Every structure is written in structure tokens, then in C-alpha cells.
Amino acid sequence: MNRENPILSFARDFSGDDAAIMAQVEAWIANPPEDQETVGFYGGDDYEPTTRSFLATVVLLRNQDKISSAEDKYLIEIFGRWRDDGVIDPTALRPAVKAVFGPFITQDEVPDLSDEDTTSAYRRTVWSLYAQATEELEQHIGSRGRVLLSIDATDGDTMFFALVKREIAQRWRDKALSEQDGYRAGVRSPMWDRFWDYMGYALGPYWATEDHEGYPPGTRMRSETIPFAE
């Protein structure tokens, strides 16, 4: 019995079996794209064939609004999108997620933290509650019928997110679909460690200070190795 190519299976589940997307991905699997514009990542035209096919698929899914993305410096905008799409209900947030992420969920810009005492208090809150807030956010999204996953394409400046049904999340969570120079790309549990780094880039001194090194206690970390999807 011939198994379906995992990238094609991935495209099927994450596109909702969109016929046009499936046709394009099937063509890329047969003849991996060779131009950087199609692959969608700088230097991608030199990547391994499977990696080129997977990355092109990720970009296609994003361009067709099947998954979403945010660059590091604009990461806070993802909260407004989730709010507007009904993924998050700002009125039903639990205390930790409201304290840490609430300012970005209720407005689309950096909150006014010009007062140093207010800023210091917010930084302390972020450091102490970040891990709990990420758990509460996942639970909140789950209670509204979807599961949040990261699509881990590269270690570049863009994060990709998927919101899927529970059975799709169970099938794909923490499964690799390509490997390039030792970097395993694929579908992961939300990468809250990278999210922390990118929030720091987006917000600078509003987010954390040099007094805090590494990640807040309890932050779930990205594993370098995950098994390949079969």
C-alpha cells in the first residue's frame, strides 16, 4: 500500500482539502520549486528538494489564509487578528493571560507605559506570569473549538500559526516534514520560547529588562528533534 507523501497530507489537513492548493502542492512534490520567490525564504532556492516543497507549501497556505503569520517586530498584531476572527474573546480571558497579553488583545498598538513605575510593574507581571498566561491562552482558544499550533518553517524572523480541529492537532503536533542543515521544520506545539524572544524584539524595554536572563520560569521550550511524519 502506497502512503501519501506527508507534505501532501499536511496540505490536505491544513487547507481543508482545498483542490487548488492540493494540485499545486502535488506538482511541487513531483518537481520541487527552484526559485526563491516560490520557496518564499531567503536562500531557499539552495535548500534540499523536500525543504523547498515544504516551505513553498507553508507560504501558499499563508497566502490563501489557511494559516497566519507575523514578523517579529509586528508580532503583537497577531492578537488583534485572533480577536477580530473570534479566536479570542477579550471578555472571557482568565487572569494571567489578561494581565500579560490583555493590552495587545484589546488594542492594536503598544500600550502607554510611559510611566516608569507602571512599566516596571508590567515587566514583573510578564516575567512571573508568562508561562501561565500561555497555558491559559491555549486553553481559552481550545474552549472555543480550535487548537493553536506553530508551523515551524525556519528559524527566521516570521512565526506561522495554525488554528485547527482537535483531531488534526493530534495527528500533526510535533511532527517534522523537512530538515535543512540540521534544522527540523514541521508542525509543533506553540513555540512560546520563540514567541517570548519576538515579543522582546517588538516591544524592547517594555517587555523585559536585562535583569532577567533566558526565559520566564515554566516557559515551554522548542525541542530540536521531533520525529518525522510518516
Side-chain angles (χ1 to χ4, degrees):
M1 177 179 178
N2 294 327
R3 292 180 179 271
E4 185 173 61
N5 182 287
I7 295 175
L8 192 62
S9 298
F10 161 75
R12 187 182 306 283
D13 277 351
F14 284 79
S15 74
D17 202 12
D18 182 283
I21 290 175
M22 294 301 295
Q24 179 61 82
V25 173
E26 193 165 15
W28 283 335
I29 290 170
N31 294 288
E34 297 182 346
D35 61 293
Q36 183 174 295
E37 182 177 359
T38 302
V39 177
F41 295 83
Y42 181 75
D45 49 325
D46 289 330
Y47 291 167
E48 296 291 334
T50 298
T51 299
R52 299 200 308 270
S53 297
F54 174 61
L55 295 182
T57 300
V58 170
V59 172
L60 178 62
L61 290 170
R62 190 272 310 277
N63 290 346
Q64 295 298 316
D65 294 325
K66 303 299 184 180
I67 63 176
S68 58
S69 69
E71 290 184 41
D72 49 11
K73 59 186 174 182
Y74 304 118
L75 185 57
I76 62 171
E77 294 178 0
I78 198 67
F79 294 108
R81 275 181 262 168
W82 289 341
R83 178 201 62 219
D84 294 344
D85 290 344
V87 176
I88 295 174
D89 177 2
T91 68
L93 300 176
R94 292 172 62 188
V97 68
K98 187 173 183 178
V100 173
F101 298 126
F104 316 112
I105 294 172
T106 57
Q107 61 190 61
D108 295 323
E109 57 187 22
V110 178
D112 182 10
L113 296 173
S114 55
D115 179 75
E116 182 58 33
D117 289 341
T118 301
T119 302
S120 296
Y122 178 65
R123 289 174 184 148
R124 290 193 297 271
T125 295
V126 166
W127 183 261
S128 62
L129 293 180
Y130 179 75
Q132 183 179 344
T134 60
E135 293 180 6
E136 287 183 6
L137 182 59
E138 286 187 57
Q139 291 166 2
H140 175 79
I141 292 172
S143 72
R144 298 175 65 78
R146 291 192 262 185
V147 177
L148 177 65
L149 296 173
S150 284
I151 306 300
D152 185 12
T154 71
D155 60 356
D157 62 4
T158 300
M159 291 194 75
F160 296 86
F161 306 93
L163 293 154
V164 298
K165 295 179 180 178
R166 192 170 304 279
E167 58 267 26
I168 292 176
Q170 291 174 340
R171 185 154 56 243
W172 289 101
R173 184 189 298 272
D174 296 324
K175 293 294 195 311
L177 285 154
S178 71
E179 184 169 359
Q180 181 69 36
D181 299 326
Y183 189 93
R184 288 196 178 182
V187 183
R188 293 179 177 272
S189 301
M191 297 190 293
W192 294 118
D193 50 348
R194 186 170 295 174
F195 199 94
W196 170 267
D197 291 335
Y198 288 8
M199 286 290 285
Y201 183 83
L203 299 174
Y206 291 109
W207 186 244
T209 69
E210 293 179 356
D211 295 336
H212 295 137
E213 295 182 358
Y215 299 98
T219 301
R220 286 164 287 170
M221 307 295 289
R222 175 188 181 278
S223 171
E224 292 295 330
T225 58
I226 53 176
F228 280 95
E230 298 178 355

